Amino acid sequence: MKKSKNYSVFTFMSIMEIFQIINVKNHYLIKSCLVISLVTVTTWITKILRKNNKIKQNDNAQQFISEKITSIPLIIITGCDTGLGYSIVMRYLKGNYINENQKNGKIHDLLFFSNESLIVPNRIAIVAFCLNLNSPGAKCLHQLSLNNNNIQLFVRQLDLTDTDSIKTGVNFINDLLQQNIDITGSHNKTFCLKYELHALVNNAARMVMAEYEWQTSKMIRQQFEVNILGPLMLTGMLLPIFRKDKSRVINVISHCAYLPLPGVSLYGATKAAVRAWTMGSRVELESHGIKMITFSPGSFYLHSSIMNGEQRMIDYKDMCDNMNKEQLAYYGAYMQAYQNYLSTIDPYINPPEVTIPSTNKIYCLMDNALWAVKPKAEYNVPEPWRYRIYFAIAWTLSSLGLHYFKDKVVRRFVATPQFHNISSQVKNVK
């Protein structure tokens, strides 16, 4: 501050000398204008110098904090084979989050996040849970993590339908939190740090796009185990650590949790259950310092394996194999038309290891959910305008009790083939 004050005095004296050189006699109006200009310029220069000085002080403080930090925040993310989980981890590995946070910080936070500050440490540890360690996504993450100094990544297998797999994952996290990490800072000083559990992102999901009656008991069970029962168990086992480290849990939901859609009614039921669990437990756990957050990522299905055509064909075969003769005769042609319609999407779905575009607002919102000092309870990535219009109409009709018309709107929005009872049509012709 002393330096900036000296600059201000020097600037003021220089301008005064110019003022004396001009030596305008009896022109009070001109003198007044010059004085006002003098004060304005001096104030402006002083503000700039103070701002620069403050930035330097903040940088020094940040460097001091980075060197004296006693723990490394640990983030756990499930479902990192593809889609959202894979994209988040890949973005941290590439270091893109630092530049984007600096670029969008002030204005975006002021408009959308009540100017909550983001504290993103230089060193982060991530446990990326994948269903299949031999998947392209898991292999790519592991390979990129080998030469990364700031992000310590641990790629591990996790099957949320298997209790033993969940216990193994929790044991690995517990062992990780007990480790001492030697970090070499500036001046070749070595610091002994520990991991601190910062956040759990329950992201893994299973979705079967088919009508409820077609789905086998295995498919129904898998969706509930992966989407709600597994996250419940994983989160519950980690709660003692969450209480100690004052962590946050980010549960990824879907717009189907707000507006259930035909063809994904069971998937929507699981996401509605996740939302209800998060909202209720938020009140229970807030007094213990645990933040429960819902995160609706919007539409990015072209970058997710949740719409994988290969898995859909496997599901379709299993459904046909488990139907009786009456169901096959009743639904056969309709099921085939349904699958043919969904297959038209396959050419547009990106390979599993392709990330979500960096311009997607999903990243800015996830950064705030992860790192805001006071995160919001709910984050909703804006949906396309088509969805927003249909949702508004459907919600209005439902609130007015006009469910018949609301269902018509929903059917039009989904745009899947409609069922026609072929057997009854044949009987009518006879």
Side-chain angles (χ1 to χ4, degrees), residues 72-260:
I72 298 176
L74 177 67
I75 302 172
I76 305 167
I77 307 176
T78 65
C80 293
D81 302 76
T82 64
L84 179 59
Y86 175 83
S87 294
I88 293 172
V89 178
M90 182 62 72
R91 180 166 168 265
Y92 277 93
L93 286 176
K94 292 182 177 180
N96 295 338
Y97 68 99
I98 299 174
N99 296 329
E100 290 178 16
N101 279 330
Q102 290 175 348
K103 184 166 54 177
N104 318 335
K106 293 184 179 179
I107 296 177
H108 196 281
D109 288 348
L110 182 62
L111 293 176
F112 298 105
F113 302 103
S114 303
N115 206 24
E116 292 293 350
S117 57
L118 301 184
I119 300 179
V120 185
N122 293 328
R123 298 187 182 95
I124 302 169
I126 301 175
V127 175
F129 279 128
C130 299
L131 179 61
N132 181 9
L133 291 181
N134 291 319
S135 66
K139 288 182 178 179
C140 188
L141 291 177
H142 177 71
Q143 189 63 35
L144 284 177
S145 68
L146 297 179
N147 298 319
N148 199 298
N149 295 323
N150 292 330
I151 305 297
Q152 294 174 280
L153 178 64
F154 306 92
V155 182
R156 291 293 184 274
Q157 196 271 342
L158 177 67
D159 183 354
L160 289 169
T161 67
D162 185 352
T163 303
D164 291 335
S165 179
I166 296 174
K167 289 180 180 178
T168 301
V170 172
N171 290 336
F172 171 76
I173 293 167
N174 281 322
D175 293 341
L176 203 60
L177 293 172
Q178 300 303 317
Q179 293 181 13
N180 292 324
I181 312 103
D182 292 332
I183 300 293
T184 302
S186 60
H187 308 295
N188 293 324
K189 292 182 179 179
T190 302
F191 300 93
C192 185
L193 309 179
K194 278 187 173 295
Y195 295 115
E196 183 178 88
L197 188 52
H198 178 73
L200 165 64
V201 182
N202 284 313
N203 166 69
R206 167 84 160 109
M207 180 178 74
V208 179
M209 290 197 68
E211 296 195 358
Y212 158 59
E213 187 180 348
W214 306 349
Q215 299 189 36
T216 66
S217 58
K218 179 182 178 181
M219 294 173 190
I220 297 171
R221 187 168 57 251
Q222 279 182 341
Q223 289 176 90
F224 275 87
E225 287 175 342
V226 175
N227 299 353
I228 177 66
L229 298 179
L232 274 168
M233 186 176 298
L234 176 63
T235 305
M237 290 182 181
L238 293 171
L239 278 178
I241 306 173
F242 288 154
R243 288 199 304 271
K244 179 177 71 69
D245 293 343
K246 308 302 180 187
S247 312
R248 61 190 67 185
V249 179
I250 302 171
N251 290 324
V252 179
I253 58 172
S254 164
H255 55 69
C256 296
Y258 302 92
L259 179 63

Side-chain angles (χ1 to χ4, degrees), residues 6 35 79 87 95-96 103 109 229 238 246 278 294 305 323-324 347 352 386 399 402 411 413 417 421:
N6 292 337
V35 169
S87 294
N96 295 338
K103 184 166 54 177
D109 288 348
L229 298 179
L238 293 171
K246 308 302 180 187
T278 309
T294 60
S305 62
M323 282 184 172
N324 58 40
R386 178 177 177 271
S399 62
L402 303 174
R411 170 62 71 183
F413 168 71
N421 192 337

Side-chain angles (χ1 to χ4, degrees), residues 408-422:
K408 291 290 185 182
V409 169
V410 170
R411 170 62 71 183
R412 184 176 178 83
F413 168 71
V414 175
T416 51
Q418 295 192 33
F419 173 73
H420 299 285
N421 192 337
I422 298 175

Side-chain angles (χ1 to χ4, degrees), residues 269-294:
T270 63
K271 290 301 184 179
V274 173
R275 181 170 179 257
W277 160 49
T278 309
M279 293 173 66
S281 60
R282 179 187 304 126
V283 183
E284 300 171 359
L285 298 172
E286 62 182 354
S287 59
H288 306 298
I290 303 173
K291 300 176 178 66
M292 297 293 290
I293 301 165
T294 60

